[in-house]
Structures are given as C-alpha cells and as structure tokens.
Amino acid sequence: MASNGSANKNTPTGHSNAKPTRYLPPLDLDDPLDATPPPYTEQDKIWDTARQTLPEKPPAQPITIAVMGPTGTGKSTFISKLAGQEEVPCKIGDRYVRLVDTPGFNDTNRTDTEILSALADWMKVSYSENMLLSGIIYLHSISDTRMTHSSLQNLRMFRKLCGDDNLKNVMLATTKWSITPLNDALNRERELTSEDGFWSTMISAGSVVRRFSNTAASAKELVDEIIDGGQQFVPTIQKEVVLQGKKLADTEAGAYIEEAIVRLQKKHDEEKKALLEEVQRAKQEHNLSMQKALEKERLRLDKKMAEREEEQRQLNMTTNEALQLRIRRLEEEQVKSLLERAEEQRRLQKTTAEAFQRHMQEIEAIKKSDARMTPKVKLGFWRLTWRCLACKAKAPDQGVWNCPECNFMQQNVY
C-alpha cells in the first residue's frame, strides 16, 4: 500500500494547482475507529436515489402487431383507441406494443403494386431492425351486406402475404357492430365462420375470430390475447423478399397481382378491338358526335393499358431499380408540390392586387361623392386667397380640402 501511495504522489496530474494524492494507510478492522463506517454524505444520497430510479434492465423490444384489412374497416380507429398514432409503441400492462397500420389493397388512390412494394419495403426495414411480427389482426366490417370484390381481393392477398403456415398467428376481428342491427350482424358472422364460409379454411389452420366493439377496453383485450399466446414469426412475403431475395413478381402475392394485371390487359385489348370497330362504323355513318365520344373512350382505355404495363414493369424490378423509381417519383412529387404552391402564391397575389385596386376605386368614388356634397368656397377678392367657410382661416389652393385649423371639409370653386 505504501508503494502505491508514493507512486500516485509522484505522478504528474497535468494541472499546476493539482494536489498530490493523500496517503491512506490500510484499515485495521480491529481498531474501533477504522471499523466505524464513513459518514453518509449528500453525494451518497444522490447515488442511492439514482440506483432506485434506474430500471434494472432496459425495456425489451416492443411486441409488433400488424393491423390489416380492406380500406374503411376501422384500422386507424382500432389503433387510435390504444396508441393514438399509426405506428408508436404504447404500453399495455408491463409490455410495450407497436401497432402498425398497413394499407388495404384494391384502393382507389394507389395501385396494388404500389401497396405491395410499400409493404415489402417495410418488411425489409423491420427485419433489419429485428422487429418481427408477433401477430396479425385482420379487420372486417360486419356492416357489409355481402363479401364485396374489394373485401375478397384483400382476403386473398392477405393469405398470400401471410402464408398458410402462419395463420395460427392471425386474429380475424369484425368491426362496426354498433352501427349494424344485431340479427344481421350475427347472421353475417355465421356466414363468415361456417364450414363453407370465407374464413373456414383460416379457422381450420388456427386463426381465431373475435369482435371489436370500438372501445379502448375491447382493443386492449384483443391485443392482450396476442401478447399472451403469440410468438414471433416471419410472414411469407418477408421470407421471400428479405431472406430469399426475390423480386415482387416472383413472390406469391406479386404473382397473384400479375395474374390480375394480365386478365385486365386481355379485357382491355378486347374492349379496344370492339371500340375500333365502332369507330369505323361511326366514320362510315359520318357521325361526328359518336366519333368524339368513342375517341375519348379510346384514350381512356389506352391510359388504363399503360398503367397496367407500368404495374407489370414495377413487379419485375430489382430492389435497386424499385428504389430509384421511388426516389424519382418523390422528387417529381416535390417539384409538383412546389409548382402548385408557386401557382397558389401567384393567384393569391393577383387576388390581393385586384382587391386593392377595387378598394382604391371605391375610395375615389367615395371622395367624388363627398365632393359633390361638400360646401363650396367661392373665389376670394384677391383671386388666390381661399378662406375656410367655418373659421375663415386661410387654406391652400386646391379642390377638396380639410381646414388645417378646424378640419372642416370644403371644396374650392372658381
């Protein structure tokens, strides 16, 4: 101990005012003075408080649950009852849960290819961050009188994305019970869950059916059930895109979309062929109005066919090509947004200028009206001398004026 103390004493500290380390002899526990613990200082109190407030271990990775289903089934409503946002960890009990609102297919604003591409991108990012799914809640509106084409399309795409092996991690939840007559809702639920119903295969594979009553307690109950029994898994689309490195067209969901695109292209080809025959007939009959209507319809079909071809091209893109396309579209959207804002600013400036001009015209009209009703000051004796009608003070030689002394408005006339 003595050698250590002398070594510390001779070591330079780098500061001119630093004090040398004080030599401390070894403790003798038999000595009552050495055995006495040091006094409890304020610094010790701070350290003890910090140890009590710090968690024993950092919070675990949030449990990730995807909320899927057609547009309008209440996905955002379900998430807002628990989290308040589209994707945010919220604490349920002693666990953190991340609810992810996924877009529905067969949307009017986005193509199925764009939705699948966005979903695949999210799958890549979540896998790189070790954020695997623990369950999927698939929502279906019980208010729908029948299984619409959109609902059926979403259900088929969902099975392609999830994979039959992972259906045991799926919860099929019906929504909008409060706005649907009870008997009708019960009958539709039986149609979905019966042996020959749309959900029968999924139920046989392990999916469970639950009801969401549009309350926070109901949402928490469904999520709690997934937390208690769910295990992390890799959906089929994530396995194909991330682990196997497939293009979207080579995935099960992408192949399903491409088949639909091919069917639409064939349908458009037949429609265009029939349309061209009608155009020839209209030309022979010299029916100009019919020709214009048919030409308009032909342009619409050409636009649809070009969109289908673009979708098919996107499905067969590599990851880098898809990323470059997405960047280019984002840049185009930004430029378009800037141009729209500039045009809006220009319109606003034009409107403001026109309003200011109208305002000045109204002021001039008021002045002229006031001038007609203003008392007239006749020419004075010295011809250049004008005096106020009220206080006789001298005034400048001008038309309509206010007296500088009494502020009386009047007009000079010759």
Side-chain angles (χ1 to χ4, degrees), residues 94-150:
D94 58 346
R95 301 299 299 272
Y96 286 90
V97 178
R98 177 185 284 108
L99 300 173
V100 183
D101 186 357
T102 60
F105 289 90
N106 200 26
D107 191 85
T108 55
N109 299 321
R110 302 170 65 185
T111 64
D112 288 348
T113 302
E114 293 174 342
I115 295 172
L116 179 61
S117 179
L119 189 58
D121 288 343
W122 181 84
M123 290 289 183
K124 295 175 185 177
V125 174
S126 62
Y127 190 86
S128 64
E129 296 177 355
N130 195 26
M131 190 173 63
L132 301 180
L133 288 176
S134 296
I136 299 176
I137 299 177
Y138 184 87
L139 299 182
H140 175 80
S141 175
I142 203 67
S143 62
D144 293 343
T145 56
R146 58 185 178 83
M147 181 66 77
T148 62
H149 173 73
S150 176

Side-chain angles (χ1 to χ4, degrees), residues 147-205:
M147 181 66 77
T148 62
H149 173 73
S150 176
S151 300
L152 192 58
Q153 179 83 353
N154 274 271
L155 186 62
R156 290 170 177 169
M157 282 296 300
F158 170 72
R159 293 190 60 177
K160 299 291 184 182
L161 294 170
C162 181
D164 292 341
D165 296 338
N166 298 313
L167 290 177
K168 59 181 178 296
N169 300 299
V170 173
M171 176 181 290
L172 304 169
T174 50
T175 62
K176 301 186 179 182
W177 283 80
S178 59
I179 63 173
T180 309
L182 182 58
N183 291 333
D184 294 342
L186 293 175
N187 290 333
R188 293 166 191 167
E189 187 181 46
R190 280 192 291 268
E191 291 176 359
L192 292 171
T193 59
S194 61
E195 292 183 0
D196 56 347
F198 293 99
W199 289 355
S200 59
T201 306
M202 301 176 68
I203 295 173
S204 301

Side-chain angles (χ1 to χ4, degrees), residues 96 143 152 223 277 281 291 324 327 378 386 397:
Y96 286 90
S143 62
L152 192 58
V223 172
E277 293 177 357
R281 193 179 304 113
Q291 291 181 36
Q324 292 176 2
I327 292 174
K378 298 296 183 180
W386 303 91
D397 182 9

